Amino acid sequence: MFIKQLYTSCLSEAAYYIESEGEAAVIDPIRDIDAYLQLAAERKATIKYIFETHFHADFVSGHVELSKACNAPIVFGPNTVTGFPVKVAKNGEEFSIGKLTIEALHTPGHTLESTCYLLKDENGKDHALFSGDTLFVGDVGRPDLSSGNLSTEELAGMLYDSLQNTIMPLNDDVIVYPAHGPGSSCGKNMGTETLSTLGEQKKTNYALQQPTKNDFIKAVTEGLDAPPEYFPVNARINQEGYESLDKILAQALTPVSIEDLKKKLEDDVIVLDTRPIALFVQGFVPGSISISLEGRFAEWAGNLLPVDEPILLVTEKGKERETAIRLARVGFSKFDGYLQGGFEAWQKAGETTDIIIDVEADELAMDMPFDKNLVVVDVRKEVEFADGHVKGAVNIPLEDMRYVASMGDINEKDNLYLHCASGYRSIIAASLLKKEGIHNVRNVSGGWNAIKEQSSIQTEKDVTVLN
Protein backbone atom coordinates (compact mmCIF):
# COMPACT_ATOMS: atom_id res chain seq x y z
CA MET A 1 0.00 0.00 0.00
CA PHE A 2 1.27 3.42 -0.97
CA ILE A 3 -0.50 6.68 -0.11
CA LYS A 4 0.82 10.14 -0.91
CA GLN A 5 -0.78 13.43 -0.01
CA LEU A 6 -0.05 16.09 -2.65
CA TYR A 7 -0.64 19.36 -0.85
CA THR A 8 -0.93 22.72 -2.61
CA SER A 9 -0.24 25.25 0.13
CA CYS A 10 -1.46 28.41 -1.60
CA LEU A 11 -4.89 26.80 -2.01
CA SER A 12 -4.76 24.76 1.21
CA GLU A 13 -5.80 21.84 -0.99
CA ALA A 14 -4.94 18.17 -0.62
CA ALA A 15 -5.12 15.65 -3.43
CA TYR A 16 -4.24 12.00 -2.90
CA TYR A 17 -2.47 9.25 -4.80
CA ILE A 18 -3.20 5.68 -3.70
CA GLU A 19 -1.46 2.64 -5.16
CA SER A 20 -1.33 -1.14 -4.82
CA GLU A 21 0.09 -3.81 -7.11
CA GLY A 22 0.72 -1.38 -9.95
CA GLU A 23 -2.79 0.09 -9.88
CA ALA A 24 -3.45 3.63 -8.65
CA ALA A 25 -6.26 6.04 -7.86
CA VAL A 26 -6.18 9.81 -7.59
CA ILE A 27 -8.60 11.66 -5.33
CA ASP A 28 -9.51 15.34 -5.87
CA PRO A 29 -6.77 16.32 -8.38
CA ILE A 30 -6.07 19.99 -9.06
CA ARG A 31 -6.12 21.56 -12.54
CA ASP A 32 -2.49 20.89 -13.52
CA ILE A 33 -2.13 17.11 -13.62
CA ASP A 34 1.57 16.56 -14.35
CA ALA A 35 2.41 15.64 -10.74
CA TYR A 36 0.00 12.68 -10.79
CA LEU A 37 1.11 11.43 -14.17
CA GLN A 38 4.76 11.77 -13.19
CA LEU A 39 4.25 9.92 -9.91
CA ALA A 40 2.47 7.06 -11.64
CA ALA A 41 5.19 6.86 -14.30
CA GLU A 42 7.98 6.86 -11.71
CA ARG A 43 6.30 4.04 -9.80
CA LYS A 44 5.39 2.16 -12.99
CA ALA A 45 1.72 2.21 -12.08
CA THR A 46 -1.48 2.75 -14.04
CA ILE A 47 -4.08 5.23 -12.81
CA LYS A 48 -7.27 3.18 -12.72
CA TYR A 49 -9.75 5.61 -11.14
CA ILE A 50 -10.15 9.32 -10.48
CA PHE A 51 -12.36 9.90 -7.44
CA GLU A 52 -14.06 13.22 -6.72
CA THR A 53 -15.50 13.91 -3.29
CA HIS A 54 -17.81 16.68 -4.59
CA PHE A 55 -17.96 19.66 -6.93
CA HIS A 56 -15.16 21.78 -5.51
CA ALA A 57 -15.84 25.49 -5.21
CA ASP A 58 -12.37 26.74 -4.29
CA PHE A 59 -10.41 25.32 -7.22
CA VAL A 60 -10.88 23.82 -10.67
CA SER A 61 -10.33 20.09 -10.56
CA GLY A 62 -8.07 18.24 -12.98
CA HIS A 63 -10.55 15.39 -13.32
CA VAL A 64 -11.44 15.91 -16.99
CA GLU A 65 -7.89 16.26 -18.31
CA LEU A 66 -6.51 13.50 -16.07
CA SER A 67 -9.23 11.16 -17.29
CA LYS A 68 -8.30 11.88 -20.91
CA ALA A 69 -4.59 11.48 -20.19
CA CYS A 70 -4.82 8.06 -18.54
CA ASN A 71 -8.15 6.77 -19.88
CA ALA A 72 -9.52 6.33 -16.36
CA PRO A 73 -13.13 6.91 -15.33
CA ILE A 74 -14.10 9.83 -13.09
CA VAL A 75 -16.08 8.62 -10.09
CA PHE A 76 -18.55 10.86 -8.24
CA GLY A 77 -20.99 9.97 -5.50
CA PRO A 78 -24.79 9.66 -5.69
CA ASN A 79 -26.94 12.53 -6.97
CA THR A 80 -24.24 13.73 -9.34
CA VAL A 81 -25.16 15.28 -12.68
CA THR A 82 -22.34 16.49 -14.93
CA GLY A 83 -21.72 17.83 -18.42
CA PHE A 84 -19.15 15.11 -19.16
CA PRO A 85 -19.03 11.30 -18.75
CA VAL A 86 -18.63 10.04 -15.18
CA LYS A 87 -19.25 6.93 -13.15
CA VAL A 88 -21.90 7.74 -10.51
CA ALA A 89 -21.20 5.45 -7.59
CA LYS A 90 -23.92 4.03 -5.38
CA ASN A 91 -23.66 4.44 -1.63
CA GLY A 92 -21.56 1.51 -0.40
CA GLU A 93 -20.23 0.63 -3.86
CA GLU A 94 -16.67 -0.73 -3.80
CA PHE A 95 -13.76 -0.28 -6.19
CA SER A 96 -10.57 -2.36 -6.24
CA ILE A 97 -7.06 -0.92 -6.47
CA GLY A 98 -4.65 -3.86 -6.54
CA LYS A 99 -5.23 -5.59 -3.19
CA LEU A 100 -7.02 -2.57 -1.73
CA THR A 101 -10.70 -1.66 -1.72
CA ILE A 102 -12.22 1.81 -1.82
CA GLU A 103 -15.83 2.15 -0.65
CA ALA A 104 -17.96 5.16 -1.58
CA LEU A 105 -19.81 6.58 1.43
CA HIS A 106 -22.44 9.15 0.50
CA THR A 107 -22.22 12.01 3.03
CA PRO A 108 -24.45 14.88 1.86
CA GLY A 109 -24.36 18.15 3.76
CA HIS A 110 -21.50 20.25 2.46
CA THR A 111 -23.08 19.59 -0.94
CA LEU A 112 -25.73 17.10 -1.99
CA GLU A 113 -23.31 14.87 -3.89
CA SER A 114 -20.57 14.96 -1.22
CA THR A 115 -19.02 11.53 -0.82
CA CYS A 116 -16.20 10.20 1.34
CA TYR A 117 -14.03 7.27 0.25
CA LEU A 118 -13.14 4.60 2.79
CA LEU A 119 -9.90 2.77 2.03
CA LYS A 120 -9.64 -0.85 3.20
CA ASP A 121 -6.35 -2.72 3.31
CA GLU A 122 -5.64 -6.13 1.77
CA ASN A 123 -7.26 -7.79 4.80
CA GLY A 124 -10.44 -5.78 4.46
CA LYS A 125 -9.70 -3.62 7.52
CA ASP A 126 -10.75 0.02 7.42
CA HIS A 127 -7.53 2.00 7.05
CA ALA A 128 -8.23 5.59 5.95
CA LEU A 129 -11.06 7.93 5.15
CA PHE A 130 -10.67 10.44 2.33
CA SER A 131 -13.20 12.83 3.75
CA GLY A 132 -13.29 15.61 1.15
CA ASP A 133 -15.05 18.64 2.61
CA THR A 134 -17.29 16.57 4.88
CA LEU A 135 -14.76 16.36 7.72
CA PHE A 136 -11.65 18.46 8.24
CA VAL A 137 -9.05 18.49 10.97
CA GLY A 138 -10.80 20.62 13.59
CA ASP A 139 -13.83 21.46 11.47
CA VAL A 140 -16.47 20.29 9.01
CA GLY A 141 -17.40 21.60 5.58
CA ARG A 142 -19.42 24.79 5.45
CA PRO A 143 -23.05 24.15 4.48
CA ASP A 144 -23.75 27.52 2.88
CA LEU A 145 -22.33 27.11 -0.62
CA SER A 146 -25.75 26.19 -2.06
CA SER A 147 -27.07 22.89 -3.26
CA GLY A 148 -30.40 23.09 -5.02
CA ASN A 149 -33.05 25.01 -3.14
CA LEU A 150 -32.03 23.85 0.32
CA SER A 151 -31.24 26.35 3.04
CA THR A 152 -27.95 26.49 4.91
CA GLU A 153 -29.69 25.05 7.97
CA GLU A 154 -31.19 22.17 5.99
CA LEU A 155 -27.80 21.27 4.57
CA ALA A 156 -26.25 21.52 8.03
CA GLY A 157 -28.86 19.06 9.27
CA MET A 158 -27.97 16.66 6.47
CA LEU A 159 -24.29 17.05 7.35
CA TYR A 160 -25.05 16.17 10.97
CA ASP A 161 -26.83 13.00 9.89
CA SER A 162 -23.97 12.03 7.57
CA LEU A 163 -21.38 12.48 10.30
CA GLN A 164 -23.39 10.72 13.00
CA ASN A 165 -24.65 7.81 10.92
CA THR A 166 -21.79 7.20 8.51
CA ILE A 167 -18.54 8.65 9.87
CA MET A 168 -18.72 8.45 13.67
CA PRO A 169 -19.33 4.65 13.76
CA LEU A 170 -15.94 4.03 12.08
CA ASN A 171 -13.02 2.91 14.25
CA ASP A 172 -10.95 5.53 16.05
CA ASP A 173 -7.72 4.41 14.34
CA VAL A 174 -9.01 5.25 10.86
CA ILE A 175 -6.78 7.95 9.36
CA VAL A 176 -8.64 11.07 8.21
CA TYR A 177 -7.33 12.59 4.98
CA PRO A 178 -9.34 15.79 4.27
CA ALA A 179 -9.43 17.82 1.07
CA HIS A 180 -8.26 21.01 2.80
CA GLY A 181 -6.03 22.28 5.57
CA PRO A 182 -5.30 25.52 7.44
CA GLY A 183 -6.15 28.74 5.63
CA SER A 184 -8.93 27.29 3.50
CA SER A 185 -12.17 29.23 3.16
CA CYS A 186 -14.09 25.94 3.04
CA GLY A 187 -14.25 25.87 6.85
CA LYS A 188 -14.12 28.40 9.69
CA ASN A 189 -12.09 26.57 12.34
CA MET A 190 -9.49 24.59 10.43
CA GLY A 191 -6.77 22.90 12.43
CA THR A 192 -3.08 23.30 11.75
CA GLU A 193 -2.52 19.75 10.49
CA THR A 194 -3.45 18.24 7.14
CA LEU A 195 -4.34 14.79 8.47
CA SER A 196 -5.53 13.20 11.70
CA THR A 197 -7.32 10.14 13.05
CA LEU A 198 -11.02 9.78 13.56
CA GLY A 199 -10.46 9.16 17.26
CA GLU A 200 -8.58 12.43 17.63
CA GLN A 201 -11.33 14.29 15.81
CA LYS A 202 -14.00 12.79 18.03
CA LYS A 203 -12.11 14.21 21.01
CA THR A 204 -11.15 17.64 19.67
CA ASN A 205 -13.35 18.70 16.74
CA TYR A 206 -15.97 21.13 18.04
CA ALA A 207 -18.50 20.06 15.43
CA LEU A 208 -18.38 16.41 16.48
CA GLN A 209 -18.94 17.27 20.13
CA GLN A 210 -22.31 19.00 19.81
CA PRO A 211 -24.91 17.27 22.02
CA THR A 212 -27.87 17.66 19.66
CA LYS A 213 -28.63 18.19 16.00
CA ASN A 214 -29.88 21.72 16.69
CA ASP A 215 -26.69 22.51 18.59
CA PHE A 216 -24.66 21.22 15.64
CA ILE A 217 -26.61 23.32 13.13
CA LYS A 218 -26.12 26.43 15.22
CA ALA A 219 -22.42 25.75 15.80
CA VAL A 220 -21.51 25.21 12.15
CA THR A 221 -23.63 27.98 10.65
CA GLU A 222 -22.79 30.84 13.02
CA GLY A 223 -19.80 33.07 12.27
CA LEU A 224 -19.30 32.06 8.65
CA ASP A 225 -17.60 34.65 6.47
CA ALA A 226 -19.19 35.28 3.10
CA PRO A 227 -17.81 32.74 0.62
CA PRO A 228 -15.28 34.09 -1.89
CA GLU A 229 -16.72 35.51 -5.10
CA TYR A 230 -15.18 32.86 -7.33
CA PHE A 231 -16.60 29.83 -5.49
CA PRO A 232 -19.82 29.52 -7.56
CA VAL A 233 -17.82 29.91 -10.77
CA ASN A 234 -15.47 27.06 -9.87
CA ALA A 235 -18.28 24.77 -8.76
CA ARG A 236 -20.03 25.32 -12.09
CA ILE A 237 -16.83 24.67 -14.07
CA ASN A 238 -16.23 21.44 -12.15
CA GLN A 239 -19.75 20.28 -12.93
CA GLU A 240 -19.96 21.34 -16.56
CA GLY A 241 -16.37 20.80 -17.75
CA TYR A 242 -13.77 23.15 -19.20
CA GLU A 243 -11.33 23.78 -22.03
CA SER A 244 -7.84 22.32 -21.90
CA LEU A 245 -5.12 23.90 -19.82
CA ASP A 246 -2.81 23.82 -22.85
CA LYS A 247 -5.19 26.10 -24.76
CA ILE A 248 -5.36 28.53 -21.84
CA LEU A 249 -1.57 28.56 -21.50
CA ALA A 250 -1.17 29.27 -25.20
CA GLN A 251 -3.11 32.51 -24.68
CA ALA A 252 -1.35 33.45 -21.47
CA LEU A 253 2.15 32.78 -22.77
CA THR A 254 1.82 34.99 -25.85
CA PRO A 255 4.37 37.85 -25.57
CA VAL A 256 2.96 41.37 -25.83
CA SER A 257 5.10 44.33 -26.89
CA ILE A 258 5.20 47.63 -25.02
CA GLU A 259 3.35 49.36 -27.86
CA ASP A 260 0.61 46.75 -27.83
CA LEU A 261 0.29 47.03 -24.06
CA LYS A 262 -0.11 50.81 -24.34
CA LYS A 263 -2.99 50.28 -26.78
CA LYS A 264 -4.59 47.73 -24.47
CA LEU A 265 -4.30 50.13 -21.54
CA GLU A 266 -6.44 52.58 -23.50
CA ASP A 267 -9.13 49.89 -23.53
CA ASP A 268 -8.77 49.49 -19.74
CA VAL A 269 -7.34 45.99 -19.92
CA ILE A 270 -6.69 44.30 -16.55
CA VAL A 271 -2.92 44.32 -16.02
CA LEU A 272 -1.94 41.94 -13.24
CA ASP A 273 1.53 42.36 -11.76
CA THR A 274 2.62 39.27 -9.82
CA ARG A 275 6.12 40.36 -8.84
CA PRO A 276 7.15 40.48 -5.17
CA ILE A 277 5.58 43.44 -3.37
CA ALA A 278 9.03 44.86 -2.58
CA LEU A 279 9.60 45.28 -6.32
CA PHE A 280 6.09 46.48 -7.13
CA VAL A 281 6.16 49.44 -4.73
CA GLN A 282 9.36 50.70 -6.36
CA GLY A 283 7.77 50.92 -9.80
CA PHE A 284 4.99 49.48 -11.95
CA VAL A 285 2.98 50.06 -15.10
CA PRO A 286 0.34 52.66 -14.18
CA GLY A 287 -3.04 51.03 -13.58
CA SER A 288 -1.55 47.65 -12.73
CA ILE A 289 -3.06 45.56 -9.95
CA SER A 290 -0.57 43.93 -7.62
CA ILE A 291 -1.26 40.39 -6.42
CA SER A 292 2.09 38.83 -5.68
CA LEU A 293 2.88 35.16 -6.13
CA GLU A 294 4.41 35.33 -2.64
CA GLY A 295 1.09 35.00 -0.80
CA ARG A 296 -2.29 33.32 -1.29
CA PHE A 297 -2.15 34.53 -4.85
CA ALA A 298 -4.85 32.52 -6.59
CA GLU A 299 -7.42 33.06 -3.83
CA TRP A 300 -6.99 36.84 -3.88
CA ALA A 301 -7.10 36.91 -7.66
CA GLY A 302 -10.34 34.93 -7.61
CA ASN A 303 -11.77 37.22 -4.96
CA LEU A 304 -10.87 40.51 -6.60
CA LEU A 305 -10.69 40.06 -10.38
CA PRO A 306 -13.48 39.20 -12.84
CA VAL A 307 -12.94 35.74 -14.29
CA ASP A 308 -14.76 36.63 -17.51
CA GLU A 309 -12.42 39.42 -18.62
CA PRO A 310 -8.99 38.96 -20.24
CA ILE A 311 -5.92 39.52 -18.08
CA LEU A 312 -2.48 40.69 -19.22
CA LEU A 313 0.36 39.50 -17.03
CA VAL A 314 3.45 41.30 -15.78
CA THR A 315 5.73 38.84 -14.00
CA GLU A 316 9.28 38.21 -12.99
CA LYS A 317 11.23 36.59 -15.80
CA GLY A 318 10.42 32.89 -15.96
CA LYS A 319 7.29 33.16 -13.80
CA GLU A 320 4.80 33.56 -16.65
CA ARG A 321 3.77 29.89 -16.82
CA GLU A 322 3.49 29.47 -13.05
CA THR A 323 1.31 32.57 -12.87
CA ALA A 324 -1.05 31.37 -15.58
CA ILE A 325 -1.36 27.88 -14.09
CA ARG A 326 -2.14 29.21 -10.64
CA LEU A 327 -4.82 31.48 -12.08
CA ALA A 328 -6.29 28.64 -14.12
CA ARG A 329 -6.59 26.61 -10.91
CA VAL A 330 -9.29 29.01 -9.71
CA GLY A 331 -11.18 29.38 -12.96
CA PHE A 332 -9.37 32.05 -15.00
CA SER A 333 -9.28 31.10 -18.66
CA LYS A 334 -9.05 34.39 -20.59
CA PHE A 335 -5.63 35.96 -21.07
CA ASP A 336 -4.19 38.72 -23.23
CA GLY A 337 -0.63 37.43 -22.98
CA TYR A 338 2.28 38.77 -20.92
CA LEU A 339 4.45 41.88 -21.18
CA GLN A 340 7.57 40.82 -23.06
CA GLY A 341 10.64 41.66 -21.02
CA GLY A 342 8.51 42.43 -17.97
CA PHE A 343 8.47 45.72 -16.10
CA GLU A 344 12.19 46.13 -16.69
CA ALA A 345 11.57 46.46 -20.43
CA TRP A 346 8.82 49.02 -19.79
CA GLN A 347 11.13 51.01 -17.54
CA LYS A 348 14.10 50.86 -19.91
CA ALA A 349 11.89 52.12 -22.73
CA GLY A 350 11.34 55.31 -20.74
CA GLU A 351 7.62 54.77 -20.29
CA THR A 352 5.73 56.44 -17.45
CA THR A 353 5.82 54.46 -14.21
CA ASP A 354 4.00 54.67 -10.91
CA ILE A 355 5.09 53.87 -7.35
CA ILE A 356 3.54 53.23 -3.95
CA ILE A 357 4.99 55.22 -1.07
CA ASP A 358 6.01 53.03 1.83
CA VAL A 359 6.13 54.54 5.32
CA GLU A 360 7.29 52.99 8.56
CA ALA A 361 4.97 52.73 11.54
CA ASP A 362 6.94 55.42 13.39
CA GLU A 363 6.38 57.81 10.45
CA LEU A 364 2.65 57.18 10.77
CA ALA A 365 2.92 57.98 14.47
CA MET A 366 4.68 61.26 13.68
CA ASP A 367 2.22 62.27 10.91
CA MET A 368 -1.01 61.57 12.78
CA PRO A 369 -1.00 64.61 15.12
CA PHE A 370 -0.29 67.10 12.32
CA ASP A 371 -2.20 65.87 9.27
CA LYS A 372 -5.89 66.72 9.65
CA ASN A 373 -6.72 64.79 6.48
CA LEU A 374 -4.92 61.62 7.52
CA VAL A 375 -7.15 58.54 7.47
CA VAL A 376 -5.92 55.10 8.52
CA VAL A 377 -7.53 52.44 6.34
CA ASP A 378 -7.31 48.94 7.79
CA VAL A 379 -7.90 46.31 5.10
CA ARG A 380 -7.88 43.28 7.40
CA LYS A 381 -10.94 41.14 7.99
CA GLU A 382 -13.59 42.46 10.35
CA VAL A 383 -12.70 39.87 13.00
CA GLU A 384 -9.05 40.97 12.88
CA PHE A 385 -10.08 44.60 13.11
CA ALA A 386 -12.32 43.91 16.10
CA ASP A 387 -9.44 42.29 17.95
CA GLY A 388 -7.42 45.52 17.85
CA HIS A 389 -6.98 48.50 15.56
CA VAL A 390 -5.82 52.11 15.36
CA LYS A 391 -8.31 54.37 17.10
CA GLY A 392 -10.52 56.06 14.50
CA ALA A 393 -9.35 53.78 11.66
CA VAL A 394 -11.71 52.85 8.85
CA ASN A 395 -12.09 49.14 8.23
CA ILE A 396 -12.50 48.20 4.57
CA PRO A 397 -11.66 44.48 4.24
CA LEU A 398 -9.65 43.79 1.12
CA GLU A 399 -12.23 41.33 -0.17
CA ASP A 400 -14.71 44.25 -0.34
CA MET A 401 -12.39 46.43 -2.39
CA ARG A 402 -13.42 44.94 -5.70
CA TYR A 403 -16.22 47.46 -5.31
CA VAL A 404 -13.78 50.31 -4.62
CA ALA A 405 -15.13 52.46 -7.45
CA SER A 406 -18.47 52.86 -5.68
CA MET A 407 -17.14 53.43 -2.17
CA GLY A 408 -18.46 56.77 -1.02
CA ASP A 409 -16.53 57.01 2.25
CA ILE A 410 -13.21 57.79 0.55
CA ASN A 411 -12.71 61.52 0.12
CA GLU A 412 -10.30 62.66 -2.57
CA LYS A 413 -8.76 65.09 -0.06
CA ASP A 414 -7.98 62.36 2.46
CA ASN A 415 -4.43 61.13 2.87
CA LEU A 416 -4.89 57.40 3.13
CA TYR A 417 -2.47 55.29 5.16
CA LEU A 418 -3.22 51.67 4.32
CA HIS A 419 -2.26 48.65 6.35
CA CYS A 420 -3.12 44.99 6.87
CA ALA A 421 -1.40 42.55 9.23
CA SER A 422 2.02 42.58 7.61
CA GLY A 423 1.88 44.23 4.17
CA TYR A 424 0.70 41.78 1.50
CA ARG A 425 -2.97 42.76 1.43
CA SER A 426 -2.40 46.49 1.82
CA ILE A 427 -0.24 46.61 -1.32
CA ILE A 428 -3.05 44.93 -3.26
CA ALA A 429 -5.45 47.51 -1.81
CA ALA A 430 -3.16 50.40 -2.73
CA SER A 431 -2.92 49.18 -6.31
CA LEU A 432 -6.70 48.88 -6.57
CA LEU A 433 -7.16 52.42 -5.29
CA LYS A 434 -4.56 53.78 -7.68
CA LYS A 435 -6.21 52.01 -10.59
CA GLU A 436 -9.39 53.92 -9.70
CA GLY A 437 -7.50 57.23 -9.73
CA ILE A 438 -7.07 57.55 -5.97
CA HIS A 439 -3.37 58.35 -5.61
CA ASN A 440 -3.08 59.93 -2.18
CA VAL A 441 -2.21 56.60 -0.61
CA ARG A 442 0.67 55.33 1.48
CA ASN A 443 1.40 51.82 2.64
CA VAL A 444 2.42 51.26 6.26
CA SER A 445 5.32 48.80 6.18
CA GLY A 446 4.90 45.90 8.55
CA GLY A 447 1.20 46.61 8.95
CA TRP A 448 -0.61 46.06 12.23
CA ASN A 449 2.28 43.97 13.54
CA ALA A 450 4.48 47.08 13.44
CA ILE A 451 1.80 49.62 14.34
CA LYS A 452 0.82 47.99 17.62
CA GLU A 453 4.42 48.32 18.81
CA GLN A 454 4.19 52.12 18.58
CA SER A 455 3.25 53.38 22.03
CA SER A 456 2.28 56.81 20.69
CA ILE A 457 -0.42 55.38 18.39
CA GLN A 458 -3.72 54.92 20.19
CA THR A 459 -5.42 51.60 19.61
CA GLU A 460 -8.76 50.13 20.65
CA LYS A 461 -10.81 46.97 20.36
CA ASP A 462 -14.32 48.25 19.81
CA VAL A 463 -15.67 47.53 16.35
CA THR A 464 -16.03 50.45 13.95
CA VAL A 465 -16.75 49.22 10.46
CA LEU A 466 -17.49 51.51 7.52
CA ASN A 467 -18.56 49.99 4.23
Side-chain angles (χ1 to χ4, degrees), residues 217-246:
I217 292 172
K218 182 178 180 180
V220 302
T221 57
E222 285 187 344
L224 287 171
D225 291 334
E229 292 281 341
Y230 66 97
F231 270 27
V233 175
N234 282 204
R236 185 182 70 249
I237 292 172
N238 285 326
Q239 183 173 13
E240 297 176 356
Y242 47 77
E243 61 184 339
S244 74
L245 182 59
D246 286 343

Side-chain angles (χ1 to χ4, degrees), residues 128-145:
L129 181 73
F130 298 89
S131 58
D133 284 22
T134 296
L135 177 63
F136 298 128
V137 177
D139 206 352
V140 294
R142 57 190 300 166
D144 66 329
L145 300 183

Side-chain angles (χ1 to χ4, degrees), residues 268-289:
D268 203 29
V269 68
I270 296 173
V271 178
L272 177 60
D273 192 320
T274 69
R275 295 175 298 147
I277 58 176
L279 295 179
F280 183 84
V281 297
Q282 295 174 18
F284 54 90
V285 176
S288 299
I289 296 172

Side-chain angles (χ1 to χ4, degrees), residues 377-380 394-401 407 409-410 465-467:
V377 179
D378 188 330
V379 303
R380 296 176 299 157
V394 175
N395 182 214
I396 308 173
L398 177 58
E399 50 266 42
D400 294 342
M401 294 192 76
M407 286 169 44
D409 53 341
I410 290 183
V465 181
L466 299 180
N467 290 316

